[in-house]
Structure formats: structure tokens, C-alpha cells
Amino acid sequence: MTQFLPTDLMIPHPFRIEKVRRELSDTFTLELQSEAGHGFAFKAGQFNMLYVFGVGEVAISISGDPSDASMLIHTIRSVGTVTRAMGELEARDTIGVRGPFGSAWPVEEAFGGDLVIVAGGVGLAPLRPAIYQALASREKFGKVLILYGARTPEDILFKKELEKWRGRFDVDVSVTVDRATGHWAGNVGVVTDLIAQGGFDRRNTTALVCGPEVMMRYAVQALEKRGVASQKIHLSMERNMKCGIRQCGHCQWGPHFVCSDGPVFRFSDVSSIFPVWEL
Ligand SMILES: Cc1cc2nc3c(=O)[nH]c(=O)nc-3n(C[C@H](O)[C@H](O)[C@H](O)COP(=O)(O)OP(=O)(O)OC[C@H]3O[C@@H](n4cnc5c(N)ncnc54)[C@H](O)[C@@H]3O)c2cc1C
Ligand code: FES
């Protein structure tokens, strides 16, 4: 398997789109393979810079299985110029890839204790590799909880996989929606309610949190209220990115560069700057 050399870090490598999967009305998954024929190793939590030729480049987390280097998978929500153009691409089109960049979810640090995964909306995508990794070594943890919140039942990402994980006897999966529609008979409320109800050992729990920033604020508060130590809470942050390799300064957040110190941060390392919104 070939990893990119440091000199390649600013050069997008061509990847062929093997499959486009529509997940939600505004969200889709791209399955990519290197046109040079090599695999793609990464750690759960890392991201790539994806380049739509002639349009622009954006940071997108990897949403596939870190134990499977044969296919590179990204799940994207169309919000603006580049992600909308990405949503118009089709199988056999080419996209540019730089990466993988950034820090990883510390799944192995959680061995020997409970693992609580808290996701909101499309934030489940950057956490999915950590879920795959944790489930592949399920016996190393105490309880494993996946707590997921979406706006409405129609916005639930990876619904089939959530159902599959819920079908296991060794994982607690709870899903809630802000607003019930149609025949929804499940939980209604915010994901922080699930933290308050979740059965985990507060003295020995590692929490991984990803979602809209406001949701992460409340999730961290709820975890701390339950007694989870701030050193054991980890979050994935999003900031404007250009280079991805600590050169341009676009992603600076207090003393940190989100592209290289993050995107995954230990909450105790960033708690003093967490209330600072992006300028
Ligand atoms: C480390 C990292 C990992 C990321 N992982 C993912 C991922 O896995 N999947 C994914 O879909 N996105 C992810 N993002 C966010 C993604 O990079 C942005 O959505 C993208 O840069 C938007 O670019 P654009 O050109 O499409 O939109 P722009 O034209 O730049 O923005 C258009 C409008 O959308 C708003 N906007 C921009 N970003 C967001 C956002 N994140 N949420 C809501 N509104 C926004 C802008 O404020 C603006 O009003 C990640 C970002 C970072 C930094
Ligand atoms: S994106 Fe350029 S320094 Fe982080």
C-alpha cells in the first residue's frame, strides 16, 4: 500500500468515483478508488481535502472503515459551492484527494472502560470509522453506547446501519429526533437527554462527540454533569481550511491549528477557548 509522501501534500491525487449513494435529501456518500491503483490507509477521525476540479477544495472527514484500505469513503452534506458541485458528480467521474490529515479518535484509550459515542446530524459520518473500530474489538470495552440525534426521522443518517448495530446484544443504540413526523414513535428531544438517561460508568467512560457546535456544547455539559472527566471527552471541530497542513493559518483556533492539532481534540485541552465562535 502506498502512502502519500510529504512532498505530495499539496498535490491532489486523482480518485475515481466508484459509487454515489444518496443518503438523505441533501447528503450523499462517495466511494472512491485511487486511479493509480493504491489503497488508502487512515485513522478514524482523520479528513481529506477533496477537490472538485475547476470549482474548489473542501475538508471532508473519512466515513469508511479504517480496517479496509481498498475503498475510500466520504459522506457529504451539500451546503455551498463546492459540496453542491460534488453532489452533481457521478460514478466514473474523477475527484482530487489530498490526505489523510489531522488527529484521530482515541478509540484505544477507551479500552477497559465504557465508550459513549454522541453524534448529531451529519456528525455521525466522522464518527462511523470509530464505531467500526470499536465494534471490531468489542470485547475490549465495558458498555458501548451510540447516542444519535437528528432533526426529523427523514434526517436520520445511516438508518440501516443504526438498525443493524441496535440488533446486536452488546451495543446500546438510542436515536432521538427534534421533531417527530409521519409514523415516528421513537424518542423526541435533544441528544443530550439521551446522555442524561444513558447507563454508563461515569468514573470510567470515554466519550466521542461530533455534531453542530451548539449540540457539542450541550453534550459536553451533559457529560460533565453526569461526572465524565473533561480529559475523557473528545470532540471533532470544524473550521475554515485551505492548506490542511499547518501552513496557511486559516484554521487557527486560539493556539491550535484545527487541521493538524485537530480536528479531534481532548475537551480539557480546548475548554478555555471552546466558547469562541469562528470569526
Ligand atoms: C475537519 C473537517 C471535517 C469535515 N467533515 C465533513 C464531512 O464529513 N461531511 C460534510 O458534509 N462536511 C464536512 N465538513 C464541512 C465542509 O468542509 C464544509 O461543509 C464545506 O467546506 C463547505 O464548502 P462549500 O464550498 O460547499 O460551502 P461554502 O460556499 O463555503 O458555504 C456556503 C454556506 O454554507 C455555510 N456552511 C459552510 N460550512 C458549513 C457547515 N459545515 N455546516 C453548515 N453550513 C455550512 C457557509 O457558512 C455558507 O453560508 C468538514 C469540515 C472540516 C473542517
Ligand atoms: S488549513 Fe492551513 S493552517 Fe490549517
Side-chain angles (χ1 to χ4, degrees):
M1 184 190 323
T2 314
Q3 270 292 77
F4 296 156
L5 299 170
T7 47
D8 288 341
L9 290 177
M10 287 306 290
I11 301 171
H13 291 248
F15 275 62
R16 190 180 49 254
I17 298 176
E18 294 296 326
K19 196 169 173 188
V20 181
R21 191 177 315 113
R22 297 285 148 199
E23 305 280 4
L24 305 171
S25 60
D26 59 356
T27 305
F28 57 95
T29 292
L30 299 180
E31 296 186 2
L32 309 173
Q33 260 174 353
S34 151
E35 292 193 351
H38 58 68
F40 195 92
F42 70 98
K43 293 188 187 124
Q46 289 192 298
F47 69 95
N48 282 319
M49 298 300 296
L50 297 188
Y51 181 38
V52 182
F53 293 103
V55 181
E57 202 184 32
V58 290
I60 302 289
S61 299
I62 304 167
S63 64
D65 186 342
S67 72
D68 179 4
S70 65
M71 190 72 76
L72 174 61
I73 301 181
H74 287 282
T75 301
I76 301 127
R77 188 152 74 96
S78 299
V79 294
T81 313
V82 180
T83 48
R84 267 192 219 122
M86 218 175 264
E88 281 161 23
L89 297 175
E90 296 173 353
R92 290 186 295 282
D93 284 345
T94 296
I95 195 165
V97 176
R98 291 194 294 126
F101 299 131
S103 58
W105 296 112
V107 176
E108 291 176 4
E109 252 184 65
F111 283 176
D114 293 351
L115 178 66
V116 179
I117 289 170
V118 187
V122 79
L124 186 57
L127 276 166
R128 190 168 68 165
I131 296 174
Y132 289 141
Q133 192 183 340
L135 296 186
S137 46
R138 174 66 190 86
E139 70 288 353
K140 302 259 176 58
F141 302 95
K143 289 187 177 162
V144 174
L145 286 81
I146 300 170
L147 312 178
Y148 179 58
R151 279 174 297 189
T152 70
E154 292 73 40
D155 295 311
I156 296 174
L157 187 63
F158 306 145
K159 200 181 267 178
K160 288 217 164 69
E161 264 183 310
L162 283 164
E163 284 168 0
K164 194 170 116 196
W165 296 329
R166 195 166 55 179
R168 295 174 57 129
F169 295 109
D170 57 359
V171 184
D172 291 337
V173 177
S174 300
V175 175
T176 187
V177 297
D178 296 340
R179 194 162 42 83
T181 53
H183 298 294
W184 179 256
N187 293 312
V188 179
V190 288
V191 73
T192 46
D193 296 343
L194 302 179
I195 297 173
Q197 295 153 15
F200 51 84
D201 176 2
R202 62 187 176 81
R203 289 155 306 172
N204 196 10
T205 286
T206 300
L208 313 181
V209 184
C210 188
E213 224 160 285
V214 64
M215 166 260 165
M216 292 202 288
R217 275 164 220 274
Y218 285 113
V220 167
Q221 272 177 21
L223 287 161
E224 289 193 311
K225 203 167 162 200
R226 283 289 309 271
V228 180
S230 61
Q231 295 88 333
K232 291 192 148 204
I233 301 173
H234 304 266
L235 330 150
S236 184
M237 296 300 296
E238 286 189 5
R239 282 293 179 275
N240 220 331
M241 284 190 191
K242 291 283 175 230
C243 71
I245 54 168
R246 212 184 179 89
Q247 297 296 311
C248 71
H250 269 89
C251 69
Q252 197 162 0
W253 184 41
H256 305 288
F257 288 88
V258 174
C259 67
S260 50
D261 302 324
V264 177
F265 290 94
R266 190 182 299 277
F267 181 62
S268 53
D269 292 340
V270 294
S271 54
S272 61
I273 54 168
F274 196 54
V276 178
W277 291 97
E278 188 170 14
L279 295 176

